[in-house]
Each structure stands twice: as C-alpha cells, then as structure tokens.
Amino acid sequence: MSGLKLFRYTAWAAVAALAVVSGVLVYQQTAGNKNSGALIEPLAAIGGPFELVNGNGETVTDKTFAGKPTLIFFGFTFCPDVCPTTLSELQGWMDVLGDDAGKLNYAFVSVDPERDTPDVMRDYVAAFDERITPLTGSREQVDAIIKAYRVYAKKVPLDDGDYTMDHSAAVYLMDADNKFVGTIAYAEEEENALRKLRRLIDNAPASS
Ligand code: NI
C-alpha cells in the first residue's frame, strides 16, 4: 500500500470511529431527554458557586441568581466579533420570548478583568440589553469561575504589543438550582436555541 493510500485508509478509519462515538453521545443525550425532560443530565462537573462583581461594583454570587434558570457566557468587551454577535443573538432570543424572557437570568462574564472594569462592562452590556448582568471581578475571582465552568480563555499577544483573548463561545444553560444542563453553541440556529430556552423555562419551578 502506498503511503498516500495508507494515509487515506487511516483517515477514513478515524472518521468512522468518530462517527460511532458521536452516535453514542447523541443517543445518550436523547435517552436522557426521555427520562428526565432535561436537556441533558445535569453534569456536576461544570458550574458551581462563584463570586463576582456587577457593573455597579456590587458583589454577585450564584445565590443572586437562585430560583431562575440562568444563561451565562464568557468573553471580553474588546472582542471583535464573537461576543457582540452572541449579545445580539441573546437580545433576539429575548425579543422572541417576550414576557417569558423575564423567567431567565442573563450574565456576561469577562475573561479579561484587567481591561473590563465594572464601568466598562456596564456601558458595554447596556448598549445591548440592560437585562443582561455584566460580571467581572479580581483576576482570582474570574479565574475561579473560568475553572469551575471549564471555560477556555487564553491571552494572545498582538504584534502592536496589545493583546486579544481566545475564549469559549458557547452560552451555558444553568437550571434554577445552578446545575449545568447544556449549552447553546456559537451561531446555533435560532429555532434550536429557542427550543432549549423554552425547555429551560418549562422545567423551572413555578415562581410565586
Ligand atoms: Ni468574544
């Protein structure tokens, strides 16, 4: 077998193996849905307690959001595209949800607290929707939530001496008990995203 052929066979074998693994994962998620009605089984490994600071410099913890499901995502205000796009999409979902939008909390957490001070975060998020809570904090506070939520965030130096941030783009969906139940991927179809949000709302305990 020529080197090229061997490479092709190996590549196809890898694709086939990946397909089997993906199939199993999809099956497990579907099976989980039937049993519990949750998006996927809550994974204890993602999420947990946190302590951050909002746009007014006030302390916000996971308990601040208790009782309502929360959409939380991570980024930074200097972000050229992913964060503004996600914030716009979030705004669009809230518009479609109408009154039901009030049954969820929304939080945008900076992974770049050195530049994203509370003031910067407040002004930035206010340009999209004031119902979204801007969150930042000390480097230690931000690193703690990045770790707890298993977020990828990395400083990347730019040629001009400045830097940008590579970061995970998914929106995390947390239930009313702050348990992780799934994500909405970057640029996910609006219909899918709304289906997940409505399920999150439907599964939440009725608020009094
Ligand atoms: Ni971003």
Side-chain angles (χ1 to χ4, degrees), residues 75-76 79 82-83 167:
F76 66 117
C79 182
V82 171
C83 294
H167 66 89

Side-chain angles (χ1 to χ4, degrees), residues 73-84 86 108 165 167-169:
F73 74 105
F74 298 80
F76 66 117
T77 64
F78 283 78
C79 182
D81 45 28
V82 171
C83 294
T86 304
F108 176 49
M165 300 292 297
H167 66 89
S168 350

